[in-house]
Amino acid sequence: MSVGEQYITIALFVIVGAIFPVLTIFVASLLRKPRTPEPQKYLTYECSVLPFGPAWVQHNVEYYMYALLFVIFDVETVFLYPWAMTYRSFGLFATVEVIIFIAVLALGLAYAWKKGALEWMRGWR
Amino acid sequence: MVSVENPLIMNIIRGLIGVVAVILFLSLNVLFLTWLERKVIARIHVRYGPNRAGPYGLLQPIADMIKLLTKEDIVPEKADKLVYNLAPMAAFLFALMPAAAVGIGSGLIAADIGVGVLYIAAVSSLSTLAILMAAWGSNNKYSLLGGMRTAAQSLSYEIPLVLSMIGIVAIVGSLSTQDIVAAQSQAWFGIIPKWFIFYQPLAFIVFFAAVVAEMGRIPFDLPESESELVAGFHTEYSGMKFAMFMFAEYIHFVVGSALVVTLFLGGWHLPIISPLVENLGWIKYIVQAGIFVAKMYVIIFTLMWVRGTLTRTKVDHVLSFGWKGLLPLALANVVITGVVLSI
């Protein structure tokens, strides 16, 4: 199989991986099971007390800070992989370029660090 | 009538064999792991662990499976039904996908795509989506908190994970897991293996920590820290849907350990033994798979040992360890590797 044809297998993985759990859950639902419907059973679990207010509430913004930083650094890694693959044909020049690139991003990380973007719950202290 | 010689049909058949083989391999390992984990943790706690079903309690996983199959499936009435029901399926799918590009022997791989390592990094981060779906769909505070924590944690550890693999990719010059293992086949004086753990010790430490965090195991098991969040994102799930989450979690465990072995511990190569079986036909494959699985279980046992030894880390410590500890180390590793390789 050529490299391109290997992607057929990947596609099959997606298809089978999507069908397998559906089938398993379906087959399990066919089996005879204890069914004792009680209204309390279908309440949201909250350590045995009645659910207090909805769960879908506004959420702490701290989590999104990490998502923003993640986007920056994940794009960076995507740029580094081509270099890792081809540094042989470009030699020292490319390495210097990459070190400058990493230095700029390390500066960005240091800035985020200094500004407290990496602190958990900084607004609460 | 379609000819059997049709290359597309042949490829699909070969692909299907690969998929079935991978699912079988994972299922068997997961079944065994659920038993092994309980047994190992029990021995660390000076308990016996499962010892009623079958010899040494070995049939316990089967009993658990029958129990989960026959359990009532409860959907909370306030849940977002569509998202709630899709989440366990998504969890399984996204756990299975990275396994496609991990081989357990030379040629014993489902899909040897050229971008193997990058593919694994890309699809393994998808499982966060499944967890967020479960967290949101359950409409439960514990689930939502656990899901949010998982998102923050796996985003934070994704970057060191991907960055720490760059050094190896630069040394090998290929992203394929087959090529990466092939590059570790030699040995100094025929005894000391040329594994990447010796070339990239810093990357190994970063990768190992990051992969444990991605698996969500102790000391990074915040997604389902049972003492504060009941069970995290799968609090509301029962029966087969819960089983799917557990299956996905153990698949992450197996695939993560297999990745550590592939990248840093020489895959299916072992000095002295590997050269001996090189020309033995099918025996070669059995020995290679055996070596690989043995190494995998060394990693798995280490992680269980870690679970029995360490405590859970606080969420702020987990995140600052990722961003302030592992990320600078991973960046430094890239620079050091680049400089050393270019000189």
Side-chain angles (χ1 to χ4, degrees), chain B residues 82-92 129-131 133-135 237 245:
Chain B
L82 180 69
V83 181
Y84 178 88
N85 287 321
L86 275 179
M89 300 165 191
F92 176 80
L129 185 66
I131 288 172
M133 280 165 75
Y237 287 90
F245 278 117

Side-chain angles (χ1 to χ4, degrees), chain B residues 202-218:
Chain B
L202 193 59
F204 175 72
I205 295 166
V206 173
F207 186 85
F208 198 72
V211 97
V212 175
E214 290 285 310
M215 291 175 200
R217 291 186 61 81
I218 284 176

Side-chain angles (χ1 to χ4, degrees), chain B residues 8-21:
Chain B
L8 183 67
I9 303 287
M10 284 307 284
N11 283 333
I12 289 177
I13 291 170
R14 290 182 65 166
L16 274 179
I17 292 171
V19 178
V20 171

